Amino acid sequence: MRFSTRTRYGLRFLLRLAAQPQGSLLQLGQVAREENISSGYLEQIVRALRPMGILRAVRGSGGGYALAKAPADINMEEVFQHLEGEISPVRCLSKGRSCQREKHCSTREFWSELDGHIRSFLQQRTLQEIIESEKHSASGGNYVELY
Amino acid sequence: MRFSTRTRYGLRFLLRLAAQPQGSLLQLGQVAREENISSGYLEQIVRALRPMGILRAVRGSGGGYALAKAPADINMEEVFQHLEGEISPVRCLSKGRSCQREKHCSTREFWSELDGHIRSFLQQRTLQEIIESEKHSASGGNYVELY
DNA sequence: ACAAAACATATCTAATCGCTATGTTTTAAG
DNA sequence: CTTAAAACATAGCGATTAGATATGTTTTGT
């Protein structure tokens, strides 16, 4: 059970945007360089975020990205949903899926509760909160390795 | 983010043992048949559980498995640890690992809290509880498909 | 001795992850 | 109106992991 680099990189990208002065643009290539992420890969990841509608993109030379919503209004459950694809710990809990054992399955209830627990934690966490907890421990500085 | 079949099958195996009358043995092959799991694969999974010390195995003809501990004393965090390998949502939180960004990482704190949340949920859940919640919804019967 | 069970290891296949390569389209600047 | 820089988009590749299968060895009751 491990979250993919997609989710980790995507989150870091969003945090960079959120840390940016309101209204200014940040270029993907710059983030990629500073965070040691391949820019091609980061573009894929950002593409997955686009349908969320939290990004404002300006195309063409001098373009870049900005957040289209306040960091306090962006919760992790949404973000994970788009980056990770599906969060459900087991397939049969994904929407649209079902299973014939459903009615008498000894573990379904357990998986469902675990799923709910993770979801509600993520729902309560906003970008804003993550930035704030960052300020306490952060020393700023240069980025060396990756999460 | 999804738990592997190892964990799901292993949990189902343990539930079968826990549902067994105290002291009696249950054979792996029988569970494999009834749960539609390849017995070879289930053996691998059970092997991963062995170091936990919760299994009593009787070898030779007429042998089988039983729980060596009370279901109420077996929590899911331990079980997952052995079946899933590592639970940490990101690599740098695994024990023994570290990361140069550690001191100024914007996301570490968040991942750590998510990790803690999942862990404590699993720690509080025992085999006993899962069996009990099963009794409410279960209709018994034949097993058709798999979780 | 034999059969049935637990115990053990090597190997295979398919899916997924993480990433690269190769574009197209838009737009500011000269 | 060309050029460069950015966002936008798709296909495919190499390595890893998941999910088994195959092929045994060892133990023990009958």
Side-chain angles (χ1 to χ4, degrees):
Chain A
M1 201 285 301
R2 182 151 282 145
F3 291 92
S4 61
T5 55
R6 280 174 66 88
T7 301
R8 309 208 301 278
Y9 292 173
L11 176 54
R12 280 158 62 190
F13 179 76
L14 289 177
L15 283 170
R16 282 308 195 89
L17 289 190
Q20 205 65 5
Q22 175 76 11
S24 72
L25 294 176
L26 184 58
Q27 287 169 4
L28 186 145
Q30 187 187 336
V31 177
R33 266 191 312 280
E34 292 174 357
E35 299 268 351
N36 278 299
I37 302 171
S38 135
S39 67
Y41 191 33
L42 189 54
E43 279 186 343
Q44 281 180 37
I45 293 168
V46 168
R47 187 151 53 253
L49 287 172
R50 207 138 37 211
M52 276 186 73
I54 60 172
L55 294 180
R56 184 169 72 87
V58 175
R59 298 183 67 165
S61 180
Y65 290 96
L67 287 181
K69 278 171 80 175
D73 294 333
I74 299 173
N75 76 71
M76 288 300 105
E77 207 258 343
E78 277 184 280
V79 172
F80 275 50
Q81 199 75 250
H82 283 82
L83 290 174
E84 199 72 16
E86 262 294 347
I87 312 181
S88 303
V90 291
R91 198 143 308 186
C92 54
L93 289 176
S94 302
K95 57 180 178 198
R97 297 305 231 90
S98 72
C99 167
Q100 300 184 48
R101 294 188 62 201
E102 210 160 292
K103 288 281 182 278
H104 52 270
C105 179
S106 49
T107 52
R108 185 183 177 89
E109 174 73 12
F110 167 73
W111 290 118
S112 171
E113 283 177 33
L114 175 55
D115 183 44
H117 234 74
I118 295 174
R119 275 206 150 70
S120 75
F121 174 83
L122 293 176
Q123 242 156 28
Q124 283 161 11
R125 287 282 152 157
T126 67
L127 260 195
Q128 181 65 41
E129 286 173 355
I130 298 181
I131 295 171
E132 267 153 25
S133 71
E134 180 185 6
K135 284 181 189 151
H136 291 166
S137 57
S139 65
N142 43 353
Y143 291 73
V144 184
E145 215 190 329
L146 330 141
Y147 269 92
Chain B
M1 202 288 300
R2 180 152 283 145
F3 291 91
S4 62
T5 55
R6 280 174 65 87
T7 301
R8 308 208 300 280
Y9 292 173
L11 177 53
R12 279 159 62 190
F13 180 76
L14 290 177
L15 283 169
R16 281 307 195 88
L17 289 190
Q20 205 65 5
Q22 175 77 11
S24 73
L25 294 176
L26 184 58
Q27 287 169 3
L28 186 144
Q30 188 187 335
V31 176
R33 267 192 310 281
E34 292 174 357
E35 300 268 350
N36 278 299
I37 301 171
S38 136
S39 66
Y41 190 33
L42 189 53
E43 279 187 342
Q44 280 181 42
I45 294 169
V46 168
R47 188 153 49 255
L49 287 172
R50 206 139 34 210
M52 275 186 74
I54 61 172
L55 294 180
R56 184 168 73 87
V58 175
R59 299 183 66 167
S61 180
Y65 289 97
L67 287 182
K69 278 172 78 176
D73 294 333
I74 300 172
N75 76 71
M76 289 299 105
E77 207 258 346
E78 276 183 280
V79 172
F80 274 51
Q81 200 75 250
H82 283 82
L83 290 174
E84 199 72 16
E86 262 294 348
I87 312 181
S88 303
V90 292
R91 200 143 307 191
C92 54
L93 288 176
S94 303
K95 56 179 177 196
R97 297 307 230 90
S98 73
C99 166
Q100 299 184 48
R101 295 188 61 203
E102 211 161 289
K103 287 281 182 276
H104 53 269
C105 178
S106 49
T107 53
R108 185 182 176 88
E109 173 74 12
F110 167 72
W111 290 118
S112 171
E113 283 177 34
L114 175 55
D115 184 43
H117 230 74
I118 295 174
R119 275 205 150 69
S120 74
F121 174 84
L122 292 176
Q123 242 156 30
Q124 283 161 12
R125 288 281 152 160
T126 68
L127 259 195
Q128 181 65 42
E129 286 173 354
I130 297 180
I131 294 171
E132 266 154 24
S133 70
E134 179 185 7
K135 285 182 188 149
H136 291 164
S137 57
S139 64
N142 43 353
Y143 291 73
V144 184
E145 215 189 328
L146 329 142
Y147 269 93

